[in-house]
Amino acid sequence: MAESLSLPAQRPRHSLGSALCTLIIATLAALLVWRGLNGLLPRELWWQALWSPDLDSPNQVLLHFSFAPRLLVSLMVGAALGLAGTLFQQILRNPLAEPVTLGVAAGANLALSVTTIWAPTLLIHGLEAVTLAGAGLATLALFSFAWGRQLSPLRFILAGMVISLYCNALNALLVLFNHDYLIDLLLWQAGSINQSGWDGVLYLAPRLAVAAALAVLLIRPLAALGLEDQSAASIGVSLRTTRGLGLLIAVALSAFVTSVVGIIGFIGLAAPAIARMTGARTLRQRLLWAPLLGAALLCLVDQCARELSRLVGEVPAGILTAVFSVPLLLWLLARQRSGGIQPHRTSLGQPTAHPWRPILLVAGLLVVLLIPAVFLAKGLHGWQWAEFSELHWRLPRVFGALAAGAMLAMAGLLVQRLTGNPMASPEVLGASSGAALGVLVLFLLVPQPQALMLPAASLGALLTLAALLWFAWRSAFSPERLLLTGVCLTTLMGALSTLLMASGDPRMTALMSWMTGSTYQVDAAAATTAVILAVLLGAAAMLLARPLDLLGLGNGTAAALGLRLSVSHLTILLLAALLTAAATLMVGPLSFVGLIAPHIARHLGVRRALPQLLLSAGAGALIMLLADWLGRNLAYPWPVSAGLLAAFIGCPYFLWLMQRERRG
């Protein structure tokens, strides 16, 4: 039986509710459009400015070449995303699926950045082929590693999240080394619908029309995908062909939109969800009302962004859509039946009878690697041993990386034990993204922010944690709700961080290195603080060994053995978030070490919580120490961020684990 994610059963209603909702949203958007038009020209000049503007009148030129095409593009992009979201959700039987949550938009985004730097001649004939290639590769990666015997919503959402994070990390690295060249592209990729002519309208109109026509032709076979696979096949539907064609249309629409306006989230999720909840129960009804709702929604959001930009400067519509998406995602999660997503409890390899042997092995490797990490480095005359006078700046980086790696590894193990899912990682908590956002805001508001980085990062992480705990409490600390709530908060924090990074402020350029995971700014005081925090928080984690072991048996068994689930979940979650936030201060918001290190412990046969914590901490410290040393020397004299190198290892490893689970 295919696993699906669905909303609670409700009485069938006519789609008049969708029509009424569309009318309300469209009316609000029309009022803002009317206000904008009146602010440009008198009513009697609107028609003239639209069809034959007076080129000597700035306001007529603005209406003809900017306001009008921007309005039409917002309508077409909203309709395209509503249609793409409906197709993704129908094919995957997952109401949380859309181009952003599946990583499709991030793949197209990265392809544009890569092409802009290394093959700009490919853009002469347009962006279509580039964005299609990027979106197609991201989709192939998603389905290669997440598709299994069952349609698992959790697997698809987590795989899409990791692919999106990986593409965004690569994009951040490209911007770091080509900031002046890519800063405008970064702002545009944040989702800007600004237009300077009619090219976007002429580009999108025929493509949207063809995609809509193909979707109409596929209504009957696509509707059968809502059944079980065996039932759909028994009535003559070719599952592979129908899914392939439907995905092709949805991916193409996502790529077309990205090539014109960058990444626009929320609409592909919100429009089908609102259509479904206001009465559009059948696929035919959703294919009609979701694009109309998407067009009205994006038009309303874009007009709000335009009004806001008059007060605070340019605000990309994509940022506002991301801000609106989080409440909707959380509301959807609250309405889903419990058990719609089931986490997996897996066991890799055979347990070892001597768990302390691998711990001693990793500790020995740490000591051996510590010597070259501190003393051996590449310089102007090649590899050479450092003098003691050079250690005052190298030792803080080394010990900062060690502490951060250990804390991330322990946080990853706590998250995986808590959720029962070996593919979870600290990113889903959102704490690292919240800490990064706190630092970015600090640098914009305070002239001398260095002394306040620790309080700002802690405040950002704690505020994010407070939101996470509140939503988790409302769902009784359900592990699957916890994971997806973290995805929501990470999406919001990432969108706000992108807006700040794209602001053009020179202080944001200085933080790009830290955002990608560099240890360059770690000094002796910061390293000492990190080591102390790692020891204290690690000791607290070890005190939770018994609850962690009991949770590995399942919530029901753990409760029967006397474990207070709510208290245990709350304590483990709080400690995991604190570990993640403290490590973020050292190496930025990338934490794929939290995924890799616990799996190393499992592959070495360690099953009990206490030795797993020790072995994971040692493995995480070893990985981050190696990444920091390689980052300082591989491309000398240009440093590569340690967190980014760890991410390059972590994402392929994550996808390999998904493929391993799928084959199993």
Side-chain angles (χ1 to χ4, degrees):
M1 180 181 293
E3 181 186 9
S4 63
L5 226 171
S6 58
L7 295 171
Q10 300 178 14
R11 291 180 299 173
R13 289 182 290 175
H14 197 272
S15 58
L16 285 177
S18 300
L20 180 61
C21 187
T22 304
L23 179 62
I24 293 173
I25 297 173
T27 301
L28 293 175
L31 290 175
L32 289 177
V33 171
W34 183 273
R35 184 176 186 275
L37 286 172
N38 282 327
L40 284 175
L41 290 169
R43 260 173 272 177
E44 59 271 14
L45 295 179
W46 290 357
W47 189 258
Q48 175 186 339
L50 183 62
W51 292 106
S52 56
D54 181 1
L55 299 183
D56 294 327
S57 171
N59 285 346
Q60 289 198 36
V61 170
L62 185 63
L63 188 149
H64 181 84
F65 291 102
S66 179
F67 189 93
R70 175 172 178 167
L71 175 62
L72 291 178
V73 165
S74 68
L75 293 171
M76 287 189 287
V77 167
L81 291 175
L83 178 58
T86 302
L87 293 174
F88 276 129
Q89 293 174 20
Q90 179 70 13
I91 293 168
L92 300 179
R93 302 169 185 153
N94 184 351
L96 297 178
E98 67 144 343
V100 173
T101 60
L102 296 177
V104 176
N109 197 23
L110 177 61
L112 279 176
S113 294
V114 171
T115 305
T116 302
I117 294 174
W118 286 303
T121 55
L122 295 178
L123 302 178
I124 295 177
H125 303 292
L127 309 179
E128 180 178 279
V130 174
T131 53
L132 277 174
L137 289 175
T139 305
L140 287 176
L142 175 68
F143 279 83
S144 296
F145 293 104
W147 191 274
R149 299 188 187 96
Q150 298 180 342
L151 285 172
S152 171
L154 179 61
R155 184 184 294 120
F156 270 97
I157 292 300
L158 289 180
M161 179 199 69
V162 170
I163 290 173
S164 182
L165 287 174
Y166 193 63
C167 291
N168 290 337
L170 288 172
N171 197 63
L173 181 65
L174 293 176
V175 174
L176 178 63
F177 287 105
N178 303 273
H179 185 267
D180 294 336
Y181 192 44
L182 283 180
I183 188 62
D184 291 334
L185 178 62
L186 181 63
L187 180 61
W188 170 76
Q189 288 173 342
S192 176
I193 307 184
N194 281 340
Q195 300 294 307
S196 57
W198 293 87
D199 291 343
V201 175
L202 298 176
Y203 174 85
L204 281 175
R207 289 161 177 80
L208 178 57
V210 171
L214 293 175
V216 169
L217 294 176
L218 290 173
I219 282 181
R220 292 189 63 184
L222 283 173
L225 294 182
L227 306 172
E228 302 295 339
D229 287 355
Q230 292 181 350
S231 301
S234 67
I235 60 176
V237 175
S238 174
L239 298 177
R240 179 173 298 182
T241 301
T242 303
R243 283 173 176 151
L245 290 175
L247 287 171
L248 181 62
I249 297 171
V251 170
L253 284 171
S254 306
F256 297 152
V257 166
T258 303
S259 68
V260 174
V261 298
I263 294 181
I264 301 287
F266 166 68
I267 302 299
L269 173 73
I274 295 175
R276 183 171 53 248
M277 293 173 209
T278 53
R281 292 289 179 263
T282 68
L283 177 63
R284 188 183 301 272
Q285 291 173 340
R286 294 199 303 274
L287 286 177
L288 170 64
W289 291 110
L292 293 177
L293 277 165
L297 276 171
L298 186 56
C299 181
L300 176 61
V301 170
D302 184 53
Q303 292 302 314
C304 290
R306 185 182 58 80
E307 293 290 335
L308 189 60
S309 297
R310 296 167 57 185
L311 302 175
V312 298
E314 180 63 24
V315 178
I319 300 299
L320 285 186
T321 59
V323 171
F324 293 153
S325 70
V326 171
L328 179 73
L329 276 165
L330 296 174
W331 187 70
L332 280 173
L333 287 174
R335 287 175 59 86
Q336 289 161 6
R337 288 193 295 261
S338 60
I341 302 175
Q342 293 298 330
H344 308 283
R345 298 186 182 273
T346 60
S347 177
L348 302 176
Q350 297 297 322
T352 179
H354 303 285
W356 303 107
R357 290 180 180 176
I359 295 175
L360 294 175
L361 174 63
V362 170
L365 289 175
L366 264 176
V367 173
V368 171
L369 183 60
L370 193 61
I371 296 173
V374 174
F375 294 100
L376 183 62
K378 186 180 288 187
L380 295 176
H381 304 291
W383 290 96
Q384 57 190 23
W385 291 95
E387 299 179 0
F388 282 97
S389 59
E390 301 176 11
L391 299 184
H392 70 281
W393 62 269
R394 191 172 296 175
L395 281 174
R397 295 184 61 174
V398 168
F399 282 98
L402 283 171
M407 287 189 288
L408 290 172
M410 289 187 287
L413 181 62
L414 292 176
V415 173
Q416 292 175 15
R417 285 269 186 170
L418 176 66
T419 62
N421 192 305
M423 290 176 294
S425 65
E427 284 91 352
V428 301
L429 287 176
S432 58
S433 299
L437 181 61
V439 173
L440 292 178
V441 173
L442 173 71
F443 268 69
L444 285 177
L445 298 180
V446 179
Q448 299 294 330
Q450 285 74 14
L452 298 175
M453 285 184 65
L454 178 59
S458 300
L459 179 62
L462 288 175
L463 288 176
T464 307
L465 172 63
L468 181 69
L469 290 177
W470 188 77
F471 286 110
W473 173 75
R474 287 176 59 87
S475 61
F477 293 95
S478 170
E480 61 270 18
R481 301 291 195 276
L482 195 62
L483 280 170
L484 293 177
T485 301
V487 173
C488 297
L489 296 178
T490 301
T491 300
L492 175 62
M493 300 301 169
L496 295 176
S497 296
T498 299
L499 176 63
L500 296 181
M501 297 303 298
S503 64
D505 193 301
R507 293 169 292 184
M508 296 297 99
T509 306
L511 285 176
M512 280 297 298
S513 176
W514 173 75
M515 286 287 290
T516 56
S518 174
T519 58
Y520 182 77
Q521 301 292 337
V522 177
D523 56 17
T528 302
T529 303
V531 171
I532 293 173
L533 286 174
V535 172
L536 294 178
L537 295 176
M542 291 174 192
L543 294 176
L544 296 174
R546 182 179 179 274
L548 291 172
D549 282 328
L550 293 179
L551 287 175
L553 302 175
N555 288 340
T557 304
L561 293 174
L563 185 66
R564 298 177 62 185
L565 293 180
S566 296
V567 175
S568 299
H569 288 164
L570 177 62
T571 305
I572 293 170
L573 178 63
L574 177 62
L575 186 57
L578 290 175
L579 284 164
T580 305
T584 301
L585 296 176
M586 293 294 101
V587 294
L590 295 176
S591 54
F592 277 104
V593 172
L595 173 73
I596 306 171
H599 280 285
I600 292 176
R602 292 190 187 93
H603 278 292
L604 292 176
V606 177
R607 294 291 175 267
R608 299 295 298 273
L610 181 58
Q612 260 192 3
L613 277 168
L614 292 173
L615 185 54
S616 297
L622 184 64
I623 293 170
M624 191 57 75
L625 179 64
L626 180 62
D628 179 66
W629 183 59
L630 292 175
R632 285 186 277 121
N633 296 290
L634 278 180
Y636 181 84
W638 296 279
V640 180
S641 299
L644 199 56
L645 281 178
F648 288 157
I649 300 170
C651 184
Y653 188 80
F654 178 92
L655 297 176
W656 176 79
L657 285 174
M658 298 202 75
Q659 190 177 44
R660 178 188 178 97
E661 183 189 11
R662 176 177 62 87
R663 290 176 177 175

